[in-house]
Amino acid sequence: MSSFDYIIIGAGSAGCVLANRLSANPKTTVCLIEGGGSDKSPLVQIPAGLSFAYGHKKLDYAYKGAPQKKLNNRVITVNRGRCLGGSSSINGMIYIRGNKKDYDNWKALGCDGWSYNDVLPIFKKLEKDQTGADPKYHSTSGEWPVVMPQDVNKTAMRFIEAGSHIGLPNNPDFNDESQLGLGIYKVNQDKGARVNSYKAFIAPISSRANLTIMTNSRVQSIEIEGDSAQSIKLQVNGIDNQLLCNKEVVLSAGAIESPRILLSSGVGDREELKKVGVTCKHNVPGVGENLQDHLDTMVTVRSKKTESIGVSWKTLFPQVVTSPFNYLFRRMGWWTSNFVEAGGFAYTKLGSPEYPDVQFHFTPIYRSHRGRRFEFGHGYSLFTCLLRPHSKGSVKIKKDGDKHKVIVDHNFLSDSRDEKSIVEAIKKARDILSSKEFDVVRGEEIAPGNSIQSDEDLLAYIRKTAVTVYHPVGTCKMGVDDMSVVSPDNLKVKGMRNLRVIDASIMPSIISGNTSAPTMMIAERGARIILENK
């Protein structure tokens, strides 16, 4: 039976940063465990492959969520990365840190050491900015590359110019002084290829003799005695195995898997564990609660113009057939695109210029209003999400043979305030798309459709079509109240001396934007805490 000083569960955005930092000491043995396999698939390496990575059985867990009562009882797929790099291997590669006030709010909730002024130096430590951004907010010395997209579509540029139509400025950097406005999203790429957390933080140091990387290794539970995590039970390529822990176990499996593993190990609400036949080792009621995510709604327009990315008879040879060669030899064209080329932040009557409550993801593509992966033709689509939802869900487990199955219930729109906010948000999206900047490519609004105008009809459309934007957080939140799972000062699970959670699940409240970079920041800070022996 193998033993390690540190066992890190999950090789995603958090786990790869942790493994890099903890294995820097050659006297320390580190094991990084990934439930999925390799990240070498072209669907991971080529940015445009993300459309096909979603739902791919080798790259995506594709959890089926619980029926959403306020969304017509629809079952929403929750896409999460299932390979080295975790969700940074299938996400949109957008580099966003969130709003300053997000982190100051964490401090107000009792999380000392997590204010914006505290975390800004940590973001800078990780970043390798290649865009010439303000050094007050950015750094060029880290491992995490931040670049401008290789080849931005002209329709995406129209979107940015359209912001002035409703008072939204052109914002070239959403991560400096102000978040407000529209702009081209900076991405985590290198010469037109995706850079995930594994490529940035583990591949360069994978030869370290003290670092063991295990793939296709799904952790079942952590063996706990008193206040100590003794070992972990897992299946490696379907075969039962066990690893001994010399010092610490660190859960970095994300907002769905981290609570699943804790609950399966007997750490959670005593009564809930009893219902699923798990012996309670530590009564921590907050495990699996406080699930937050960004609900996403869409406006999509079909255009007869061929300016946008799309497949049509007019573009079959000049664009579609030549695109592989354009990518391989020039690293240009739409294969370099994350498809969410532009976006930005706005505010409804419930937000403010300093604290926007809406995020846009603009795609120069006619996205299917029928749920299809591909639609023939051209157009453009604007996705709009609520940045700070009031609705909260949960992650629970239920018995499934000799294992435990995870139940993800976002509980979207359970708070009526979110209903009002998302209706206002989609109105903002329509306002931008009504700008004269789009006159050259204007076509028919397919969804929601011109017949959908009243607040009631818009809400009905949202209930019928809205999905998650894949930013689950909060299910093992840090804090000082009764529902907190980990302590803000050391990220240790309540009642445990050598079990920590360091990933997006510790966020007490969701940040205003994409969650990959903030998760890496959490990991960098968590590594420092461990190395300082807190």
Side-chain angles (χ1 to χ4, degrees):
M1 189 181 303
S2 300
S3 65
F4 300 90
D5 293 330
Y6 294 101
I7 299 174
I8 302 168
I9 302 172
S13 295
C16 289
V17 174
L18 282 162
N20 177 298
R21 304 307 191 234
L22 297 182
S23 65
N25 181 351
K27 296 180 180 180
T28 299
T29 56
V30 177
C31 182
L32 178 62
I33 301 172
E34 169 55 40
S38 168
D39 67 336
K40 300 303 181 184
S41 169
L43 300 183
V44 172
Q45 305 301 318
I46 299 172
L50 65 87
S51 293
F52 300 94
Y54 285 157
H56 192 288
K57 64 180 181 180
K58 290 186 178 181
L59 301 174
D60 183 3
Y61 281 106
Y63 302 98
K64 298 299 181 183
Q68 296 298 286
K69 296 178 182 177
K70 296 293 185 174
L71 299 180
N72 297 347
N73 285 317
R74 288 187 294 121
V75 171
I76 294 175
T77 300
V78 186
N79 303 102
R80 307 309 296 155
R82 188 182 188 176
C83 65
L84 292 169
S87 293
S88 73
S89 294
I90 66 170
N91 68 5
M93 295 159 275
I94 296 172
Y95 183 73
I96 293 290
R97 296 174 177 175
N99 191 283
K100 299 176 182 179
K101 291 181 180 292
D102 296 332
Y103 302 104
D104 289 339
N105 287 344
W106 289 7
K107 182 178 180 180
L109 292 171
C111 299
D112 290 337
W114 293 90
S115 70
Y116 178 73
N117 287 337
D118 291 319
V119 303
L120 177 58
I122 301 174
F123 277 116
K124 292 175 68 175
K125 160 71 175 174
L126 293 163
E127 184 186 20
K128 184 179 181 180
D129 178 75
Q130 299 170 49
T131 69
D134 188 345
K136 179 180 178 181
Y137 298 98
H138 298 278
S139 169
T140 60
S141 59
E143 298 99 327
W144 193 229
V146 177
V147 303
M148 297 305 297
Q150 291 285 100
D151 197 358
V152 177
N153 184 269
K154 188 175 181 179
T155 309
M157 301 304 298
R158 294 185 187 281
F159 168 76
I160 297 168
E161 296 304 319
S164 61
H165 178 65
I166 60 170
L168 291 175
N170 184 336
N171 189 337
D173 187 356
F174 300 117
N175 298 303
D176 63 8
E177 186 63 32
S178 174
Q179 196 182 38
L180 183 69
L182 307 182
I184 297 299
Y185 279 131
K186 298 178 181 181
V187 293
N188 304 120
Q189 294 183 9
D190 179 30
K191 298 176 182 176
R194 175 194 292 273
V195 177
N196 62 8
S197 59
Y198 181 81
K199 186 174 182 179
F201 295 98
I202 298 299
I205 55 97
S206 60
S207 61
R208 288 177 181 172
N210 62 327
L211 174 61
T212 299
I213 301 168
M214 299 178 63
T215 56
N216 297 306
S217 303
R218 185 165 171 79
V219 173
Q220 304 300 318
S221 63
I222 302 167
E223 294 298 294
I224 296 172
E225 293 183 13
D227 65 352
S228 175
Q230 297 287 316
S231 64
I232 64 169
K233 289 186 175 181
L234 69 166
Q235 287 190 332
V236 182
N237 293 312
I239 299 173
D240 290 337
N241 203 338
Q242 190 168 4
L243 302 178
L244 295 179
C245 171
N246 298 332
K247 290 185 178 180
E248 295 193 15
V249 173
V250 184
L251 269 172
S252 299
I256 295 175
E257 285 293 303
S258 284
R260 191 269 300 172
I261 293 169
L262 283 178
L263 293 169
S264 298
S265 306
V267 180
D269 182 88
R270 188 183 305 279
E271 295 304 314
E272 291 289 328
L273 291 173
K274 185 177 180 180
K275 292 178 183 177
V276 293
V278 176
T279 301
C280 182
K281 300 293 184 67
H282 286 276
N283 185 33
V284 187
V287 175
E289 301 299 325
N290 193 49
L291 173 63
Q292 299 164 57
D293 201 346
H294 294 136
L295 185 65
D296 208 35
T297 189
M298 176 185 72
V299 177
T300 188
V301 176
R302 184 190 288 275
S303 172
K304 293 181 180 179
K305 301 293 184 179
T306 60
E307 177 181 281
S308 64
I309 297 172
V311 178
S312 62
W313 295 116
K314 291 182 180 179
T315 63
L316 188 60
F317 181 77
Q319 293 183 23
V320 179
V321 174
T322 61
S323 57
F325 305 98
N326 201 12
Y327 179 79
L328 290 172
F329 296 110
R330 298 179 60 233
R331 283 294 193 267
M332 298 293 283
W334 63 269
W335 277 32
T336 68
S337 177
N338 66 343
F339 298 134
V340 187
E341 297 182 344
F345 299 84
Y347 61 97
T348 68
K349 56 188 178 184
L350 303 175
S352 69
E354 297 76 27
Y355 207 15
D357 55 348
V358 171
Q359 182 177 8
F360 297 118
H361 294 90
F362 179 84
T363 63
I365 301 171
Y366 170 55
R367 294 297 293 267
S368 176
H369 62 289
R370 298 177 285 192
R372 294 179 179 177
R373 190 185 296 268
F374 167 79
E375 288 278 358
F376 193 78
H378 293 265
Y380 45 91
S381 308
L382 184 53
F383 294 84
T384 306
C385 72
L386 294 181
L387 289 178
R388 291 182 298 282
H390 296 281
S391 303
K392 296 180 180 179
S394 64
V395 172
K396 299 183 183 297
I397 59 172
K398 71 176 182 180
K399 199 75 171 178
D400 184 21
D402 59 348
K403 298 183 180 67
H404 291 109
K405 182 179 180 180
V406 68
I407 304 172
V408 183
D409 184 1
H410 281 92
N411 208 20
F412 282 131
L413 297 186
S414 57
D415 190 307
S416 60
R417 289 174 291 183
D418 291 345
E419 295 179 346
K420 297 176 182 176
S421 296
I422 199 164
V423 168
E424 292 300 318
I426 200 169
K427 289 179 183 177
K428 284 277 184 185
R430 275 179 155 177
D431 283 346
I432 294 174
L433 297 183
S434 69
S435 165
K436 63 180 181 181
E437 299 294 338
F438 283 97
D439 285 351
V440 174
V441 293
R442 191 169 307 284
E444 179 185 359
E445 181 186 284
I446 302 299
N450 291 329
S451 65
I452 307 298
Q453 295 295 332
S454 69
D455 287 5
E456 293 78 11
D457 287 346
L458 284 172
L459 183 57
Y461 164 75
I462 291 163
R463 293 192 195 283
K464 182 180 178 181
T465 61
V467 294
T468 168
V469 75
Y470 318 120
H471 297 159
V473 306
T475 50
C476 300
K477 76 169 187 174
M478 63 176 170
V480 294
D481 65 1
D482 291 341
M483 294 302 288
S484 298
V485 176
V486 300
S487 169
D489 61 343
N490 59 24
L491 306 184
K492 289 182 179 179
V493 175
K494 283 183 177 179
M496 298 293 297
R497 66 170 181 82
N498 70 336
L499 176 59
R500 307 188 203 235
V501 183
I502 303 179
D503 60 22
S505 71
I506 73 161
M507 294 185 189
S509 57
I510 194 166
I511 61 101
S512 302
N514 309 73
T515 51
S516 184
T519 300
M520 290 181 180
M521 178 277 294
I522 288 170
E524 177 70 26
R525 177 157 171 72
R528 295 181 186 185
I529 289 171
I530 292 173
L531 294 173
E532 291 167 2
N533 294 314
K534 289 186 178 180

